[in-house]
Amino acid sequence: MKIALCIAFVTTMASVAFATEIPQSERRSGYSFMSADTKAMQDEDTANPGMLFVLDGETLWKRKAGSADKACADCHNDARVSMKGIAAHYPAFEKALGRPVDLEGRINLCRTNHQQASPFAYESRELLALSAYVAQQSRGVPIAAGDDPELAPFVEKGRELFMQRQGQLNLGCTNCHDDNWDKKLAGSAITQGQPTGYPLYRLEWQSLGSLQRRLRACITGIRAQAYDYGSPELVELELYLKSRARGMPIETPAVRP
Amino acid sequence: MPSALINVPKKAKRGDIIEIKTLMSHIMETGYRHTASGDVVPRDIITSFTCRFNGTEVFRADLFPAIAANPFITFFTTVTESGKFEFEWIGDKGFSETAQASITVE
């Protein structure tokens, strides 16, 4: 009887295994999967190592750079006012490029176009610090990315990538993060992949890291060839994930195990 | 850009046990890792942390390669008078950082 039930259960699982998107009411931040200790680390600003990067970002915000000899603050003034809620709308459509750019991409566009400085390398301390500082101004603000109608085709492309099986393990993002988020993988929670706290401090990385780094790590995990940093595919995936998490509050800088 | 985050209560009653929390920005490179070409990544860690209250040492810790990046050190102490906590981190490659925080004892 038990075996029959099991078989019935497995068959049901298999029949719903494709693209069962998570209902709004069941969406959960990665925070809710963490241990009490890790939650405490994120909750207290003097215990959260991500705040060290935010402090650096605040310094960089005011530092003049490039041949224009301008600081971010010279145009945008006080980030606590001008950047409030901004990160919630990223990735956003960039008319000049005709495609979406994420927050890191926007910062680097500002550097090349307005500061006339060289762009920061992906995952450099400077870029992480500045993006953490900007995103932290949106802490608690609901994610609102993907509203722009011009973004619709890119959200759809991101969704296709999310559903696409790939790599030697032949898995799509959805197979874990839509279908099995309530289970564990090697003792760790799988989570829903809601990007609420990026850039975030991962204890495993012993550093802050961007959403692109997280995505690349996941893609390597399914033994597929990861897209390059800054590639349109990664930005489209970011965009889809953000639109999927629309309405969830931003936690930057979050802490994750 | 080394930076520290310090959490010391602003006020306490005479004789209270207070908790002090410190977080220091540091990569804590172990010296046991190698690059893709096989070269050893040289050790770069904080080796010592000291806390003084009005000039008297109240807490000291030695740090080793197994300690994670951005060391978070918390400890308890008692306070009997108002004054200033001074924190000092010393490490490899001439690393030396200080921070301070004041407390009022009522």
Side-chain angles (χ1 to χ4, degrees):
Chain A
M1 181 61 192
K2 265 188 185 166
I3 293 169
L5 263 180
C6 271
I7 293 169
F9 179 70
V10 169
T11 338
T12 330
M13 283 292 293
S15 64
V16 293
F18 285 97
T20 46
E21 285 175 37
I22 301 164
Q24 291 273 322
S25 61
E26 285 178 35
R27 289 188 311 175
R28 283 169 58 186
S29 158
Y31 178 85
S32 70
F33 294 84
M34 304 200 301
S35 71
D37 284 345
T38 320
K39 283 180 181 170
M41 195 188 248
Q42 174 173 328
D43 289 343
E44 197 186 309
D45 279 349
T46 46
N48 181 342
M51 290 305 291
L52 295 169
F53 289 79
V54 171
L55 282 180
D56 285 352
E58 192 174 0
T59 311
L60 285 170
W61 181 264
K62 294 170 189 155
R63 183 179 296 170
K64 292 189 189 297
S67 47
D69 199 31
K70 273 185 185 171
C72 309
D74 290 338
C75 293
H76 299 289
N77 303 315
D78 187 350
R80 283 169 298 180
V81 180
S82 61
M83 291 296 126
K84 192 172 169 52
I86 297 295
H89 293 276
Y90 273 80
F93 190 74
E94 169 60 29
K95 282 203 170 62
L97 299 175
R99 60 179 169 85
V101 292
D102 58 11
L103 194 56
E104 289 84 355
R106 165 65 64 211
I107 289 169
N108 270 339
L109 281 175
C110 246
R111 272 186 72 80
T112 47
N113 296 343
H114 301 300
Q115 293 182 305
Q116 280 142 37
S118 54
F120 291 127
Y122 280 93
E123 302 308 297
S124 61
R125 176 123 192 147
E126 290 84 356
L127 188 55
L128 289 170
L130 261 180
S131 55
Y133 179 60
V134 171
Q136 195 239 358
Q137 310 309 325
S138 302
R139 203 192 249 178
V141 175
I143 294 174
D147 286 347
D148 188 343
E150 285 184 290
L151 285 174
F154 299 96
V155 176
E156 188 47 38
K157 274 192 204 166
R159 187 177 175 281
E160 278 166 21
L161 284 168
F162 190 83
M163 301 296 170
Q164 174 67 51
R165 283 179 183 270
Q166 56 176 324
Q168 287 180 321
L169 299 188
N170 198 29
L171 287 170
C173 313
T174 183
N175 299 122
C176 287
H177 300 291
D178 280 339
D179 298 339
N180 289 298
W181 56 264
D182 52 348
K183 299 186 186 63
K184 296 205 163 192
L185 183 64
S188 302
I190 289 174
T191 83
Q192 299 180 347
Q194 308 284 9
T196 48
Y198 287 90
L200 56 73
Y201 194 92
R202 266 199 93 200
L203 301 180
E204 185 191 314
W205 293 337
Q206 299 198 20
S207 171
L208 211 70
S210 70
L211 179 52
Q212 293 204 5
R213 179 170 180 186
R214 172 69 268 188
L215 291 171
R216 282 170 50 88
C218 247
I219 296 171
T220 308
I222 56 168
R223 299 185 199 163
Q225 176 70 47
Y227 307 108
D228 290 334
Y229 278 113
S231 67
E233 287 88 351
L234 282 182
V235 178
E236 284 155 13
L237 264 174
E238 283 184 82
L239 178 62
Y240 171 66
L241 286 173
K242 286 277 170 64
S243 68
R244 179 172 170 267
R246 197 177 298 157
M248 297 177 78
I250 288 182
E251 297 164 39
T252 308
V255 175
R256 294 290 182 268
Chain B
M1 296 179 280
S3 44
L5 287 165
I6 309 290
N7 188 349
V8 174
K10 287 204 168 53
K11 283 180 183 175
K13 291 204 172 68
R14 195 171 303 277
D16 268 2
I17 297 173
I18 57 160
E19 186 176 16
I20 294 177
K21 300 177 186 175
T22 68
L23 184 61
M24 177 39 108
S25 175
H26 199 283
I27 56 167
M28 296 296 282
E29 182 58 57
T30 62
Y32 298 126
R33 299 198 306 162
H34 295 77
T35 62
S37 55
D39 302 324
V40 174
V41 182
R43 193 185 88 162
D44 182 10
I45 64 167
I46 296 173
T47 50
S48 136
F49 168 76
T50 318
C51 172
R52 291 183 202 87
F53 183 65
N54 290 343
T56 312
E57 187 174 300
V58 294
F59 184 87
R60 165 189 286 277
D62 291 333
L63 286 82
F64 295 92
I67 293 171
N70 307 315
F72 180 56
I73 300 174
T74 79
F75 53 95
F76 294 89
T77 186
T78 55
V79 280
T80 52
E81 55 177 0
S82 297
K84 195 164 69 180
F85 285 100
E86 290 170 300
F87 306 92
E88 187 178 27
W89 296 260
I90 291 171
D92 295 335
K93 298 186 178 175
F95 184 85
S96 175
E97 286 294 322
T98 56
Q100 44 188 263
S102 298
I103 188 166
T104 310
V105 173
E106 293 162 336

